[in-house]
Amino acid sequence: MTEFQNSNEHGSQNLDHNVSSAYPKSQGGIRLPDVVLEGHPILKELGKTDFVPSSRVAIAIDPVALITTECITVTSAMRKHARWAHSSVSAILGGSSISYRTGPSSTSNGSAQRSSVKVPLTGTQREIGGSTANNEGSLTGLWGLRGKKGKSMQDNPLMSAFARLRDIRSFDIPSLLHPFLQVIRSSSTSAPITSLALIAITKFFAYNLISRSSPRLSVGLQLLSAAITHCRFEASDSAADEIVLLRILKLMEVMLSGPGGDLLGDESVCEMMETGLSMCCQIRLSELLRRSAEVSMITMCQILFERLKHLEDEVGGDGVALDQTTLHAERTELKMDAPLTGTNAASPQRTTVTTPHSSHITSSRNVQQDVLETRGSTSFDLQMDSNDVGMNNAVNGNITNVTQVPPPDKQEVMDIRPYSLPSIRELFRVLVNILDPHDRQHTDPMRIMALRIIDVALEVAGPSIAKHAGLASLAKDHLCRNLFQLVRSDNINLLNESLRVAGTLLATCRGILKLQQELFLSYLVACLHPRVEIPRESGIDPSLYEGVPYMPKLVKQPPSSSSSGRSTPVPVKDRQKLGMEGGSRKPDAREAMVENVGALTRIPSFFAELFVNYDCEVDRSDLCEDLVGLLSRNALPDSATWSTTNVPPLCLDALLSYIQFMTDRLEDEVLPGGCLDPKKLRRQRYRKKIIIKGVNKFNESPRAGISYLASQGIIENPDDPQSVAQFLKGTTRISKKVLGEYISKLANEPLLRAFLDFFDFTDKRVDEALRDLLGAFRLPGESALIERIVTVFAEKYCANSTPEGIADKDSVFVLTYAIIMLNTDQHNPNVKTQNRMALADFAKNLRGVNGGKDFDSQYLQDIYDSIKNNEIILPDEHDNKNAFDYAWKELLLKTDTAGDLVIFDTNVFDADMFEATWKPVVATLSYVFMSASEDAVYQRVVAGFDQCAQIAARYNVTEALDHIIYCLATITTLASNALPNTSLNTEVQVGKQSVMVSELAVKFGRDYRAQLAMVVLFRGVIAANEAKIQKGWEMISRIWLNLFANSLIPAYFHHLHPLLEIPPIPIQSPHVVNREGRSIESGLFQSFTSYLSSYAADDPPEPSDEELSDTLCTVDCLAACPMEEIFTNILTLPPKPLAALTHALLNQIPEESSPAVIVVKPEPGSSNPKVNGQSQSLITPSYDPSVVYILEISTMFAIRDQVSTATIGQDVAEALQNIVRNAANNHSLIVSRAVFYLLTLLSASHDQLFIRAPVILHTISSLDQSISENAALPLSKGLTSCIRGPRPLRNEIANTPDFWSIISGLHTIPVAAGPVFEILVDIMADKPSAITADNYEFAIQALNDFATAGSVGAVVEQTRDRKVRRPKAIKSIEPRNQELVSHAIRAVTMIWQLSSRVPALIEQSHLERKEAWTAYWSPIFRALNTQCVNPCREIRQQAFSGLQRALLSPELASADHQEWTAIFGEVLFPLILQLLRPEVYHSDPLGMSETRVQAATLLCKIFLHYLVLLSEWDGMLELWLRILDIMDRLMNSGQGDSLEEAVPESLKNILLVMANGGYLAPPSGNPQYARLWEETWKRLARFLPGMFQEIFPDPPELPRVAAAEQPQIEELKLKVEEVPDESES
């Protein structure tokens, strides 16, 4: 059984909301739900005829025949009634046999088709509206019929009218309807008869017998309307009676929706609507009837308000004319009565049932006076007997002229205008008045009914209602006022309907409801926003939802608990019920409110309109922010605990709709916001923030607040009371209590006076003026402060002119005090009613204070009544009806100044709106994402994140984008700061795929939520938005580092940007397990054995199949993330976002830790400790590949281009230098890579001030030897890039001593020797040369070191010599040794080549000649001397060749100085002495003897070359004697025949040259050289006794050598020098 079937037919039942809301809106016949119709008693009668179809039907019979049939049907039913059982035969045969027909008639196919001229009957020929006894009597006499008892029976007028209609051939609508209307209006008919008349008329409309072209259609419709709205019939059973009412409802609906519905007049429409409303509201009627009436009312209201949309078009778009029509209707008292105030068919007064109109209503209508006669029948109580007097009167003919039909020629007398705005407004007014919550005559079901009808009206014509002043004023005032009070109802059905109407009203008319919408939404926000902390759940980081507000901004702090005694406390229960700030609502009520908010948020521009109209206006609430905060807070799962489980998804859906609409507008063309300037709105919003901050300061400390506001330019002059008062008066955010206390202080009296200057007390009573004043602030508690306020008030009140009846300001002062006391006395709940002040007491207290006289008694009476009935209150401190009335009054006063709501459809304000509201949205999405468990929720949240990211990127809200990245990165669990544990990482080979199984990969692969967040983060948020990210890079970089450390992503930049010629970053070698070819079946024993073997080998256990599967899930997830695309985009980022990324990466570098190395002493008998599975006695710094990853990527960014270098180069350089400086605390591999990156950055940024080559080289040169050895190759590559870089950098590096120190340390390291030597080659080959006085010696030393390193070639040579003596298979020379020898030979060559630079260096130097010669020549000779004793023959030969060239260099010797003579004592003599050492000789026994010969020959050659210059030197004799001694040692060295032959031959040549030159001659011949002769003789005699005699057998007395003979001597020396050098052969 349904609710309706169980209900009492005559009882009052509440309508079920879910069923009643599904009412149909078709304009055809009533279609009630089957559950309502099934089994209802009315159906027995109602089922006799079908409902009228929704469209007109063509009939197949003759229309006249149809009318005749209907007449017979009605009369037949009447004859069967006892009242008309003895009617005459005229009722059967018709009232007249005369027809006025023209033209022939014919029939076809059984249906009569007549073509006739219809002549209206007028005058006495045919009076349709009435009848005469004589005429009827003649008819009855003609037939000779008699009644009972022999008495002739006169037909009842109802019967005779039908008889006359049956014979009519040409008729108009009033004539057609006349007999049926008589039946309907007659109180003597029964319900079935009346029902038949209604059925007949309904058929006429359905079969188009009554059409738009019908004669006098308008008059007929007015008559029909009057008849059905004043229908009377005898009461029978309730079902039959209600059938009549149902048919009346249907007929009214057909009339309005029919072809002539728009011809009805305003009064007819009002009567019909009043009839329908009465049926809806009569409790005694069955629920089915009331529901049917409601459905019909809804359909008719649809038609009426649909017409409203076309009224302006009908009057030519003149809306003013329509409004004037409404005013005219008001003047003519076009009023609808309330549904329960009239006497009608639905009212509980009947012997005859009447439709809802009393006689006094009809008499007030002009149209009715023209059309209808005064009715004589009267309704009687339902319980009266059916044979009542009223019925007898009807039978006796008192109702003969029920309706007089005006003849056609009188039609012009009637002035019937089609219904228009007046009737629509009147209907709207009545419906709105039904909603009044304080009218006890109206019940909640009535209000629900009215709300449903209003909702339909708004759905159909809401915007049109807002256009018309009359309707708009009702909507703005009475409708909103009633609605906003009904939404506080505890009746859930009433609340649902109220919220629905409020939502429809705001959706369609919000343009004129700016302040009303603010009040309504503020109430919803205050009711729905829970002020409880978000519960913390395990696994959800609180930082994810920190953006959800704890309370809305519009909620003010509760007023102080202190009271002055004049305020009236309100119980908490009442505050919750009536409170403007909301209160505790039941869960169902909360859900209904949330649904209402959700419906509003589905308006695409709703939030944008809130933001512009409220958030950007100083005096309005931040509704947009508060509403978003409300939805965010209630979208969290815990909100279901105080509402329903439906609330969180509803709020989440509304929140996501808000984001969806913004996303949809992203691609729209940026259209201007009409009269709104976005820049102006931003300024207003900024000003609003300042004012709010200043007001908060004022509420804490007024002086501080005023000072702050003045500093921000809000208050122009803080010392001007007028300026300060203007701000305080115009700002509603000021605390009324603080304001009252502040302006009442003695020091602020000028401010108080200025404040009161803004009030206008003209023509107001004292209590009214005081009410205005105390609405602005709260009276302070101290009597002195109150007195000051009242004094200034009295002066202000009497300032312009003393009001009549008031003596002076002193009188006002006393009266004001009395009013304040009266207000407290009347409304203090602590005062009993019997103890409250009466009017007499109030007057007594004021006796004689009005200038010595009394106040007028009526004046005091008015004041007393006003205070007693309406307390002087502050609306934000009290909650009752008066408070609401006062607040509403204030709202209406502000409506004009606030203006209309600006409605627009543009995206121009979306950026500012999103920037203000993104925090709670993202916080809610994060929390829901972490707590959700359904795929549908995941999909919506993922879409929300993606859309938020799109909006943030488009509008450059980088803070929002960064926070989205933070939230998603946190959810992925991959952004941890802790270093990942890679000790158990295992690389598994399965087929051709290699998978790294790690703790991180397994954990991530098991977390579906984390994988989803990962894909959303990189695919939806980061990709294509790289340039917009700022702080979000920190979380992204953490993810990259953790993935890289676990070998889950490669170092992408190696193939994307190959600027760094360095191998990929090494990662700790994992344990490798090969599962390829392994048996699928493995028993427990095998697994156990594998585990034990891995444990014994100190290896990590082999991963399980489940762990491998989880790792594969991780790999698939990462494959779905476009990492490579993101890295490619990063390489083209602008400098600013690139700098943000770089800083984020550098921040991930671990801080310095101490100590760097910890020595662990194991216990006696224990093994070495194990670190990462390896035994060692020293714990060295661990290797973290992520650090290298950071440094490499950062370096890549820094060297990308000059702008990047200037932007981020300094930070990267500092990070790299910190790593190098703190090398002892870092792994050597990290340091080596850092050195390379640092030198690479130096090469790219040498011209920047933040990086200096000497500083970097000094840092590198300070590294420990062990670290340097590990960093040798990267270091050498880095130096190579610098040397081959810009010339200024190359010169700076080459002149830095630390560079040569580094070179010196690197040349001994095999992997670095080659690159380092190439660095030297580059330096030497540079033109102009990079060798300067500062690095000259360093360069020679470095080359000498490389030449010395080539001594390993001696081993190869000596091995080859032995193989020659003993022929065997000779092994090939090792490439490394061959390379060293090659470098050594090239080094020696470069050393002597530097001799060409010496003259220029000496000239450029500021040293003395001797010092300069020693500084620049000596290093070359020392280096060559060193290589002349190199064990490697090739190097020695190259060194001798170079030494000879250097010694013979034209720039070496000069007659101007004698420093060059040191070549003998510092070069040649030490060289020969070195060669004479046994250890040198044994370094190459076979080749060293030949070297000695070369040395002796070189000595002699050099002596002869410089003989002329030496002859002028004082030390020639000593030099010559030392040469002889050297030759003596060589001859006696025991080398063998080679020296014994070479030394004499060389000496012989010298002696001959000296003799020919006159330097060696007997003393007699040249006394100057006598000693030379003697010493030579003596020395040669020691080791070559016969040589002197052989050369000089009989030495003659030779004369002095003449100058002319000098060329001959030079020629001889050249011949000697031309002797081939064996070292060159």
Side-chain angles (χ1 to χ4, degrees), residues 1454-1477:
S1454 173
D1456 299 335
H1457 61 89
Q1458 297 178 348
E1459 292 81 4
W1460 59 272
T1461 57
I1463 60 175
F1464 295 98
E1466 296 180 5
V1467 180
L1468 294 174
F1469 294 158
L1471 172 60
I1472 295 175
L1473 293 177
Q1474 189 74 10
L1475 290 172
L1476 292 175
R1477 297 178 63 179

PDB file of all heavy atoms in Angstrom, residues 1454-1477:
ATOM      1  N   SER A1454     127.789  36.372 -25.874  1.00  0.00           N
ATOM      2  CA  SER A1454     127.965  37.716 -26.386  1.00  0.00           C
ATOM      3  C   SER A1454     129.204  38.311 -25.738  1.00  0.00           C
ATOM      4  O   SER A1454     129.570  37.975 -24.601  1.00  0.00           O
ATOM      5  CB  SER A1454     126.741  38.568 -26.071  1.00  0.00           C
ATOM      6  OG  SER A1454     126.975  39.903 -26.431  1.00  0.00           O
ATOM      7  N   ALA A1455     129.878  39.173 -26.505  1.00  0.00           N
ATOM      8  CA  ALA A1455     131.077  39.827 -25.971  1.00  0.00           C
ATOM      9  C   ALA A1455     130.733  40.843 -24.908  1.00  0.00           C
ATOM     10  O   ALA A1455     131.603  41.300 -24.160  1.00  0.00           O
ATOM     11  CB  ALA A1455     131.849  40.497 -27.115  1.00  0.00           C
ATOM     12  N   ASP A1456     129.437  41.208 -24.834  1.00  0.00           N
ATOM     13  CA  ASP A1456     129.021  42.220 -23.865  1.00  0.00           C
ATOM     14  C   ASP A1456     128.928  41.678 -22.448  1.00  0.00           C
ATOM     15  O   ASP A1456     128.884  42.451 -21.498  1.00  0.00           O
ATOM     16  CB  ASP A1456     127.662  42.786 -24.258  1.00  0.00           C
ATOM     17  CG  ASP A1456     127.712  43.452 -25.633  1.00  0.00           C
ATOM     18  OD1 ASP A1456     128.799  43.885 -26.023  1.00  0.00           O
ATOM     19  OD2 ASP A1456     126.648  43.515 -26.286  1.00  0.00           O
ATOM     20  N   HIS A1457     128.860  40.396 -22.326  1.00  0.00           N
ATOM     21  CA  HIS A1457     128.747  39.808 -20.978  1.00  0.00           C
ATOM     22  C   HIS A1457     129.455  38.473 -20.984  1.00  0.00           C
ATOM     23  O   HIS A1457     129.756  37.899 -22.030  1.00  0.00           O
ATOM     24  CB  HIS A1457     127.286  39.636 -20.587  1.00  0.00           C
ATOM     25  CG  HIS A1457     126.525  38.729 -21.502  1.00  0.00           C
ATOM     26  ND1 HIS A1457     126.454  37.367 -21.303  1.00  0.00           N
ATOM     27  CD2 HIS A1457     125.822  38.984 -22.644  1.00  0.00           C
ATOM     28  CE1 HIS A1457     125.734  36.825 -22.268  1.00  0.00           C
ATOM     29  NE2 HIS A1457     125.341  37.800 -23.103  1.00  0.00           N
ATOM     30  N   GLN A1458     129.726  37.989 -19.849  1.00  0.00           N
ATOM     31  CA  GLN A1458     130.485  36.743 -19.714  1.00  0.00           C
ATOM     32  C   GLN A1458     129.709  35.689 -18.907  1.00  0.00           C
ATOM     33  O   GLN A1458     130.284  34.689 -18.508  1.00  0.00           O
ATOM     34  CB  GLN A1458     131.831  37.032 -19.020  1.00  0.00           C
ATOM     35  CG  GLN A1458     132.718  37.949 -19.823  1.00  0.00           C
ATOM     36  CD  GLN A1458     134.017  38.269 -19.108  1.00  0.00           C
ATOM     37  OE1 GLN A1458     134.158  37.985 -17.901  1.00  0.00           O
ATOM     38  NE2 GLN A1458     134.979  38.852 -19.837  1.00  0.00           N
ATOM     39  N   GLU A1459     128.370  35.942 -18.722  1.00  0.00           N
ATOM     40  CA  GLU A1459     127.595  34.949 -17.972  1.00  0.00           C
ATOM     41  C   GLU A1459     127.523  33.629 -18.701  1.00  0.00           C
ATOM     42  O   GLU A1459     127.408  32.570 -18.082  1.00  0.00           O
ATOM     43  CB  GLU A1459     126.165  35.480 -17.720  1.00  0.00           C
ATOM     44  CG  GLU A1459     126.076  36.661 -16.782  1.00  0.00           C
ATOM     45  CD  GLU A1459     126.391  37.990 -17.478  1.00  0.00           C
ATOM     46  OE1 GLU A1459     126.606  37.953 -18.704  1.00  0.00           O
ATOM     47  OE2 GLU A1459     126.407  39.029 -16.806  1.00  0.00           O
ATOM     48  N   TRP A1460     127.620  33.668 -20.006  1.00  0.00           N
ATOM     49  CA  TRP A1460     127.504  32.447 -20.801  1.00  0.00           C
ATOM     50  C   TRP A1460     128.635  31.468 -20.556  1.00  0.00           C
ATOM     51  O   TRP A1460     128.516  30.278 -20.855  1.00  0.00           O
ATOM     52  CB  TRP A1460     127.453  32.788 -22.282  1.00  0.00           C
ATOM     53  CG  TRP A1460     128.680  33.550 -22.751  1.00  0.00           C
ATOM     54  CD1 TRP A1460     128.893  34.874 -22.746  1.00  0.00           C
ATOM     55  CD2 TRP A1460     129.858  32.951 -23.278  1.00  0.00           C
ATOM     56  NE1 TRP A1460     130.119  35.210 -23.240  1.00  0.00           N
ATOM     57  CE2 TRP A1460     130.742  34.010 -23.572  1.00  0.00           C
ATOM     58  CE3 TRP A1460     130.266  31.633 -23.536  1.00  0.00           C
ATOM     59  CZ2 TRP A1460     132.006  33.794 -24.110  1.00  0.00           C
ATOM     60  CZ3 TRP A1460     131.519  31.421 -24.075  1.00  0.00           C
ATOM     61  CH2 TRP A1460     132.374  32.500 -24.349  1.00  0.00           C
ATOM     62  N   THR A1461     129.769  31.964 -20.039  1.00  0.00           N
ATOM     63  CA  THR A1461     130.904  31.069 -19.801  1.00  0.00           C
ATOM     64  C   THR A1461     130.569  29.993 -18.775  1.00  0.00           C
ATOM     65  O   THR A1461     131.308  29.017 -18.625  1.00  0.00           O
ATOM     66  CB  THR A1461     132.099  31.880 -19.300  1.00  0.00           C
ATOM     67  OG1 THR A1461     131.728  32.615 -18.104  1.00  0.00           O
ATOM     68  CG2 THR A1461     132.565  32.869 -20.365  1.00  0.00           C
ATOM     69  N   ALA A1462     129.420  30.175 -18.093  1.00  0.00           N
ATOM     70  CA  ALA A1462     129.034  29.164 -17.108  1.00  0.00           C
ATOM     71  C   ALA A1462     128.599  27.871 -17.763  1.00  0.00           C
ATOM     72  O   ALA A1462     128.399  26.858 -17.062  1.00  0.00           O
ATOM     73  CB  ALA A1462     127.889  29.708 -16.251  1.00  0.00           C
ATOM     74  N   ILE A1463     128.482  27.868 -19.105  1.00  0.00           N
ATOM     75  CA  ILE A1463     128.060  26.626 -19.774  1.00  0.00           C
ATOM     76  C   ILE A1463     129.089  25.523 -19.564  1.00  0.00           C
ATOM     77  O   ILE A1463     128.744  24.336 -19.645  1.00  0.00           O
ATOM     78  CB  ILE A1463     127.827  26.874 -21.268  1.00  0.00           C
ATOM     79  CG1 ILE A1463     129.109  27.380 -21.948  1.00  0.00           C
ATOM     80  CG2 ILE A1463     126.659  27.827 -21.483  1.00  0.00           C
ATOM     81  CD1 ILE A1463     128.999  27.547 -23.443  1.00  0.00           C
ATOM     82  N   PHE A1464     130.319  25.883 -19.285  1.00  0.00           N
ATOM     83  CA  PHE A1464     131.331  24.852 -19.071  1.00  0.00           C
ATOM     84  C   PHE A1464     131.272  24.337 -17.634  1.00  0.00           C
ATOM     85  O   PHE A1464     131.197  23.126 -17.406  1.00  0.00           O
ATOM     86  CB  PHE A1464     132.739  25.432 -19.379  1.00  0.00           C
ATOM     87  CG  PHE A1464     132.923  25.794 -20.811  1.00  0.00           C
ATOM     88  CD1 PHE A1464     132.772  27.099 -21.239  1.00  0.00           C
ATOM     89  CD2 PHE A1464     133.240  24.822 -21.762  1.00  0.00           C
ATOM     90  CE1 PHE A1464     132.933  27.440 -22.574  1.00  0.00           C
ATOM     91  CE2 PHE A1464     133.408  25.164 -23.085  1.00  0.00           C
ATOM     92  CZ  PHE A1464     133.251  26.476 -23.503  1.00  0.00           C
ATOM     93  N   GLY A1465     131.286  25.283 -16.712  1.00  0.00           N
ATOM     94  CA  GLY A1465     131.307  24.836 -15.317  1.00  0.00           C
ATOM     95  C   GLY A1465     129.974  24.315 -14.820  1.00  0.00           C
ATOM     96  O   GLY A1465     129.950  23.471 -13.908  1.00  0.00           O
ATOM     97  N   GLU A1466     128.843  24.776 -15.414  1.00  0.00           N
ATOM     98  CA  GLU A1466     127.535  24.361 -14.910  1.00  0.00           C
ATOM     99  C   GLU A1466     126.834  23.357 -15.806  1.00  0.00           C
ATOM    100  O   GLU A1466     125.868  22.732 -15.370  1.00  0.00           O
ATOM    101  CB  GLU A1466     126.647  25.598 -14.758  1.00  0.00           C
ATOM    102  CG  GLU A1466     127.161  26.584 -13.726  1.00  0.00           C
ATOM    103  CD  GLU A1466     126.263  27.799 -13.590  1.00  0.00           C
ATOM    104  OE1 GLU A1466     125.201  27.797 -14.251  1.00  0.00           O
ATOM    105  OE2 GLU A1466     126.620  28.731 -12.877  1.00  0.00           O
ATOM    106  N   VAL A1467     127.338  23.213 -17.054  1.00  0.00           N
ATOM    107  CA  VAL A1467     126.646  22.327 -17.978  1.00  0.00           C
ATOM    108  C   VAL A1467     127.547  21.178 -18.425  1.00  0.00           C
ATOM    109  O   VAL A1467     127.280  20.005 -18.129  1.00  0.00           O
ATOM    110  CB  VAL A1467     126.134  23.114 -19.194  1.00  0.00           C
ATOM    111  CG1 VAL A1467     125.409  22.199 -20.163  1.00  0.00           C
ATOM    112  CG2 VAL A1467     125.220  24.236 -18.752  1.00  0.00           C
ATOM    113  N   LEU A1468     128.608  21.504 -19.132  1.00  0.00           N
ATOM    114  CA  LEU A1468     129.402  20.465 -19.763  1.00  0.00           C
ATOM    115  C   LEU A1468     130.236  19.672 -18.765  1.00  0.00           C
ATOM    116  O   LEU A1468     130.265  18.430 -18.823  1.00  0.00           O
ATOM    117  CB  LEU A1468     130.301  21.114 -20.824  1.00  0.00           C
ATOM    118  CG  LEU A1468     129.539  21.719 -22.010  1.00  0.00           C
ATOM    119  CD1 LEU A1468     130.486  22.477 -22.929  1.00  0.00           C
ATOM    120  CD2 LEU A1468     128.813  20.630 -22.787  1.00  0.00           C
ATOM    121  N   PHE A1469     130.899  20.343 -17.876  1.00  0.00           N
ATOM    122  CA  PHE A1469     131.731  19.624 -16.903  1.00  0.00           C
ATOM    123  C   PHE A1469     130.890  18.724 -16.014  1.00  0.00           C
ATOM    124  O   PHE A1469     131.216  17.550 -15.841  1.00  0.00           O
ATOM    125  CB  PHE A1469     132.540  20.608 -16.065  1.00  0.00           C
ATOM    126  CG  PHE A1469     133.568  21.377 -16.856  1.00  0.00           C
ATOM    127  CD1 PHE A1469     134.072  22.595 -16.405  1.00  0.00           C
ATOM    128  CD2 PHE A1469     134.024  20.888 -18.093  1.00  0.00           C
ATOM    129  CE1 PHE A1469     135.002  23.295 -17.134  1.00  0.00           C
ATOM    130  CE2 PHE A1469     134.958  21.601 -18.825  1.00  0.00           C
ATOM    131  CZ  PHE A1469     135.436  22.809 -18.355  1.00  0.00           C
ATOM    132  N   PRO A1470     129.761  19.245 -15.446  1.00  0.00           N
ATOM    133  CA  PRO A1470     128.932  18.337 -14.633  1.00  0.00           C
ATOM    134  C   PRO A1470     128.373  17.176 -15.446  1.00  0.00           C
ATOM    135  O   PRO A1470     128.234  16.075 -14.927  1.00  0.00           O
ATOM    136  CB  PRO A1470     127.798  19.241 -14.153  1.00  0.00           C
ATOM    137  CG  PRO A1470     128.368  20.601 -14.149  1.00  0.00           C
ATOM    138  CD  PRO A1470     129.306  20.640 -15.336  1.00  0.00           C
ATOM    139  N   LEU A1471     128.080  17.419 -16.724  1.00  0.00           N
ATOM    140  CA  LEU A1471     127.560  16.346 -17.552  1.00  0.00           C
ATOM    141  C   LEU A1471     128.592  15.249 -17.690  1.00  0.00           C
ATOM    142  O   LEU A1471     128.279  14.055 -17.528  1.00  0.00           O
ATOM    143  CB  LEU A1471     127.172  16.904 -18.921  1.00  0.00           C
ATOM    144  CG  LEU A1471     126.776  15.870 -19.979  1.00  0.00           C
ATOM    145  CD1 LEU A1471     125.571  15.053 -19.522  1.00  0.00           C
ATOM    146  CD2 LEU A1471     126.499  16.551 -21.305  1.00  0.00           C
ATOM    147  N   ILE A1472     129.854  15.613 -18.014  1.00  0.00           N
ATOM    148  CA  ILE A1472     130.898  14.597 -18.204  1.00  0.00           C
ATOM    149  C   ILE A1472     131.193  13.888 -16.893  1.00  0.00           C
ATOM    150  O   ILE A1472     131.379  12.663 -16.864  1.00  0.00           O
ATOM    151  CB  ILE A1472     132.165  15.264 -18.787  1.00  0.00           C
ATOM    152  CG1 ILE A1472     131.833  15.792 -20.206  1.00  0.00           C
ATOM    153  CG2 ILE A1472     133.314  14.280 -18.839  1.00  0.00           C
ATOM    154  CD1 ILE A1472     132.972  16.571 -20.835  1.00  0.00           C
ATOM    155  N   LEU A1473     131.232  14.650 -15.819  1.00  0.00           N
ATOM    156  CA  LEU A1473     131.477  14.019 -14.520  1.00  0.00           C
ATOM    157  C   LEU A1473     130.349  13.033 -14.191  1.00  0.00           C
ATOM    158  O   LEU A1473     130.608  11.974 -13.594  1.00  0.00           O
ATOM    159  CB  LEU A1473     131.601  15.088 -13.447  1.00  0.00           C
ATOM    160  CG  LEU A1473     132.828  15.999 -13.554  1.00  0.00           C
ATOM    161  CD1 LEU A1473     132.791  17.072 -12.459  1.00  0.00           C
ATOM    162  CD2 LEU A1473     134.113  15.198 -13.442  1.00  0.00           C
ATOM    163  N   GLN A1474     129.127  13.390 -14.528  1.00  0.00           N
ATOM    164  CA  GLN A1474     128.006  12.480 -14.293  1.00  0.00           C
ATOM    165  C   GLN A1474     128.141  11.222 -15.117  1.00  0.00           C
ATOM    166  O   GLN A1474     127.854  10.121 -14.649  1.00  0.00           O
ATOM    167  CB  GLN A1474     126.690  13.206 -14.631  1.00  0.00           C
ATOM    168  CG  GLN A1474     125.440  12.452 -14.226  1.00  0.00           C
ATOM    169  CD  GLN A1474     125.200  12.470 -12.725  1.00  0.00           C
ATOM    170  OE1 GLN A1474     125.884  13.204 -11.996  1.00  0.00           O
ATOM    171  NE2 GLN A1474     124.266  11.645 -12.266  1.00  0.00           N
ATOM    172  N   LEU A1475     128.617  11.400 -16.368  1.00  0.00           N
ATOM    173  CA  LEU A1475     128.793  10.238 -17.221  1.00  0.00           C
ATOM    174  C   LEU A1475     129.906   9.330 -16.742  1.00  0.00           C
ATOM    175  O   LEU A1475     129.911   8.120 -17.023  1.00  0.00           O
ATOM    176  CB  LEU A1475     129.083  10.697 -18.655  1.00  0.00           C
ATOM    177  CG  LEU A1475     127.901  11.343 -19.395  1.00  0.00           C
ATOM    178  CD1 LEU A1475     128.367  11.922 -20.717  1.00  0.00           C
ATOM    179  CD2 LEU A1475     126.797  10.315 -19.637  1.00  0.00           C
ATOM    180  N   LEU A1476     130.820   9.901 -16.028  1.00  0.00           N
ATOM    181  CA  LEU A1476     131.936   9.104 -15.519  1.00  0.00           C
ATOM    182  C   LEU A1476     131.579   8.290 -14.288  1.00  0.00           C
ATOM    183  O   LEU A1476     132.333   7.423 -13.878  1.00  0.00           O
ATOM    184  CB  LEU A1476     133.121  10.030 -15.203  1.00  0.00           C
ATOM    185  CG  LEU A1476     133.788  10.670 -16.419  1.00  0.00           C
ATOM    186  CD1 LEU A1476     134.869  11.659 -15.984  1.00  0.00           C
ATOM    187  CD2 LEU A1476     134.401   9.604 -17.330  1.00  0.00           C
ATOM    188  N   ARG A1477     130.409   8.578 -13.721  1.00  0.00           N
ATOM    189  CA  ARG A1477     130.006   7.834 -12.529  1.00  0.00           C
ATOM    190  C   ARG A1477     129.656   6.406 -12.922  1.00  0.00           C
ATOM    191  O   ARG A1477     129.002   6.163 -13.929  1.00  0.00           O
ATOM    192  CB  ARG A1477     128.832   8.517 -11.864  1.00  0.00           C
ATOM    193  CG  ARG A1477     129.202   9.913 -11.366  1.00  0.00           C
ATOM    194  CD  ARG A1477     128.004  10.599 -10.748  1.00  0.00           C
ATOM    195  NE  ARG A1477     127.526   9.886  -9.562  1.00  0.00           N
ATOM    196  CZ  ARG A1477     126.508  10.269  -8.816  1.00  0.00           C
ATOM    197  NH1 ARG A1477     125.864  11.397  -9.146  1.00  0.00           N
ATOM    198  NH2 ARG A1477     126.146   9.557  -7.762  1.00  0.00           N
TER     199      ARG A1477
END
